[in-house]
Amino acid sequence: MSTDWSKRTQAVHGGTRRSQWGEVSEAIFLTQGFVYETAEQAEARFIDCGPDEFIYARYGNPTVAMFEQRIAALEGGEDAFATASGMAAVNGALVSMLKAGDHVVSAKALFGSCLYILENILTRYGVEVTFVDGTDLEQWRAAVRPETKAVFFESMSNPTLEVIDITAVAEIAHSVGAKVVVDNVFSTPVFSRAIQQGADVVVYSATKHIDGQGRALGGVIIGSREFIRGTVEPYLKHTGGALSPFSAWIMLKGLETMALRVNAQAETAQKLAEALEGHPELVRTLYPGLKSHAQNALIQSQLGGKGGTVLSLDLRGGKPAAFRFLNALTIPVISNNLGDAKSIATHPATTTHQRLSEAQRAELGITPGLIRFSVGLEDAGDLLADLRAALDSSAG
Ligand SMILES: *Cc1c(COP(=O)(O)O)cnc(C)c1O
């Protein structure tokens, strides 16, 4: 294995460990525990557990370790810790490093459960949290202070697809010694260069593009070896957020095809966004790959111009039009996952962001007519015809 390999090669071979049988496909070590040859070996392993040694699956497991090393290599991080879900990863990354009296600055456009951790959990344990408009660098500058231990944001926000400047926010955070924690789901591991751009910790919900086929929950925290093994591992191994070996195997197989899937999905998303922009039933077509996107220059530099696999459509007729649109779709399913092989349409205001107040939704641009559309692997022409027909139906 080489650190010089490109993402595509890492995604297929990174982290591979073969048993004595020399299997081609990664083995699933569906075991909770590990046998020691002697009492002395057990004692030694509890004193100092080497990278190829295991004690208990809550601490680590060979299949899980393969997934951790593969995603770390792909992302350009030193090490990774895999978790039972994306939320276990967000919680693990933040709670493991914070204590009462610390301060966190976070972008306010967040996935609902991320917002809950910052707003309702951290604050309960004496961590102060300041929310800013993540696209406004002046607000980040004004919010950081000497007690700021971490800044947190989604590099591309859900569902309004604003992009946050990782390099610029990292410079501000590092000026006060704060760690930069990026929830990178919408940027995807395929287009991300977050660590090279200044992120200290990158978090993924593997449930999304890494599995990519809607089968299993998972998450991962990627960072320096010191942070992963010194800070994250002690917290997670004792609090029980471990990924199951079976799910790790699903994620390993998902990584092999991820670049092919995500590139194809992003290409279709770009086509659909370009074709639908300016449609008379739409007030806004939000897609980071569109030239009209407010942050086009940043998208070029941060993501190589790639807009990801999700677009959002804001229907002129509000909630009734959005519901007529959803009910008229024949190919995409109505659901709330994203990054799946199947296209998925979501009405954020009544589902994923229902918990927010109307004022909070309005502030985040989550209008009653907004549809989040996760582009799958279907034929682009079929999807476009279906979306156009549903937009016609939405007029009522
Ligand atoms: C889905 C998602 C999560 C949570 O992931 P789970 O695997 O569902 O726990 C966190 N952040 C973002 C941006 C997400 O899209």
Side-chain angles (χ1 to χ4, degrees):
M1 260 160 282
S2 164
T3 49
D4 296 338
W5 287 345
S6 70
K7 280 182 189 259
R8 285 278 290 266
T9 308
Q10 295 291 6
V12 179
H13 294 288
T16 302
R17 290 156 188 253
R18 292 201 165 88
S19 76
Q20 72 272 36
W21 311 114
E23 65 281 352
V24 173
S25 175
E26 293 75 2
I28 311 176
F29 291 94
L30 214 47
T31 180
Q32 299 150 343
F34 301 84
V35 174
Y36 312 103
E37 302 280 336
T38 60
E40 288 77 8
Q41 191 185 51
E43 181 187 36
R45 205 168 292 180
F46 272 79
I47 294 170
D48 183 18
C49 186
D52 269 318
E53 296 174 341
F54 299 93
I55 291 175
Y56 189 57
R58 173 150 47 74
Y59 298 16
N61 167 288
T63 312
V64 176
M66 280 194 267
F67 170 60
E68 291 171 342
Q69 284 165 19
R70 185 169 296 179
I71 186 75
L74 183 75
E75 191 71 29
E78 285 177 1
D79 212 338
F81 198 95
T83 55
S85 68
M87 286 325 302
V90 172
N91 183 68
L94 292 172
V95 176
S96 68
M97 74 161 93
L98 296 168
K99 60 177 187 328
D102 288 345
H103 176 238
V104 174
V105 184
S106 171
K108 62 185 164 200
L110 293 180
F111 181 72
S113 300
C114 294
L115 185 65
Y116 184 82
I117 289 177
L118 286 146
E119 210 172 27
N120 302 71
I121 298 181
L122 292 182
T123 50
R124 221 197 287 161
Y125 295 96
V127 175
E128 198 190 329
V129 183
T130 305
F131 289 98
V132 297
D133 172 348
T135 62
D136 183 348
L137 295 175
E138 280 314 312
Q139 292 193 25
W140 288 103
R141 258 181 223 117
V144 295
R145 50 192 210 225
E147 319 81 82
T148 310
K149 287 288 149 44
V151 304
F152 179 77
F153 56 96
E154 292 171 16
S155 57
M156 198 186 274
S157 72
N158 168 26
T160 50
L161 308 170
E162 289 177 347
V163 180
I164 293 182
D165 189 336
I166 297 173
T167 309
V169 175
E171 208 178 290
I172 296 165
H174 291 157
S175 74
V176 294
K179 272 199 162 50
V180 178
V181 184
V182 179
D183 180 337
N184 218 21
V185 166
F186 280 66
S187 297
T188 82
V190 177
F191 303 132
S192 160
R193 283 173 289 152
I195 288 178
Q196 295 89 313
Q197 288 160 348
D200 299 295
V201 182
V202 175
V203 174
Y204 285 106
S205 163
T207 316
K208 314 292 166 55
H209 303 87
I210 295 175
D211 173 9
Q213 292 163 79
R215 299 166 294 193
L217 286 172
V220 67
I221 307 167
I222 304 156
S224 68
R225 183 146 301 126
E226 186 194 356
F227 178 70
I228 296 297
R229 296 299 150 199
T231 303
V232 170
E233 182 189 294
Y235 175 77
L236 276 164
K237 80 179 188 188
H238 295 300
T239 55
L243 182 65
S244 99
F246 186 74
S247 297
W249 177 80
I250 290 176
M251 300 310 174
L252 275 165
K253 303 317 279 181
L255 283 179
E256 291 183 343
T257 58
M258 179 178 65
L260 292 177
R261 287 184 281 104
V262 167
N263 275 300
Q265 287 165 276
E267 211 172 286
T268 303
Q270 180 77 35
K271 278 187 200 158
L272 297 177
E274 285 174 7
L276 294 175
E277 193 175 26
H279 189 286
E281 295 306 326
L282 294 174
V283 234
R284 293 181 297 168
T285 302
L286 301 172
Y287 182 64
L290 284 176
K291 291 213 169 56
S292 59
H293 193 283
Q295 295 153 295
N296 189 257
L298 175 60
I299 290 149
Q300 293 300 331
S301 61
Q302 185 157 305
L303 293 162
K306 303 292 186 177
T309 65
V310 177
L311 53 119
S312 290
L313 303 171
D314 199 354
L315 276 75
R316 193 169 298 286
K319 181 180 167 187
F323 275 31
R324 281 194 293 268
F325 172 84
L326 286 175
N327 293 334
L329 290 170
T330 62
I331 300 170
V333 295
I334 303 172
S335 188
N336 38 259
N337 193 19
L338 61 97
D340 198 282
K342 295 181 175 69
S343 288
I344 295 175
T346 313
H347 186 242
T350 53
T351 60
T352 53
H353 293 71
Q354 190 188 116
R355 203 177 67 82
L356 302 188
S357 69
E358 211 159 308
Q360 276 175 308
R361 278 196 294 271
E363 199 185 339
L364 296 174
I366 304 169
T367 54
L370 195 75
I371 299 285
R372 186 184 78 192
F373 192 74
S374 167
V375 178
L377 286 170
E378 302 94 339
D379 178 76
D382 289 347
L383 285 176
L384 183 58
D386 202 31
L387 287 167
R388 283 202 168 119
L391 280 173
D392 289 343
S393 309
S394 79

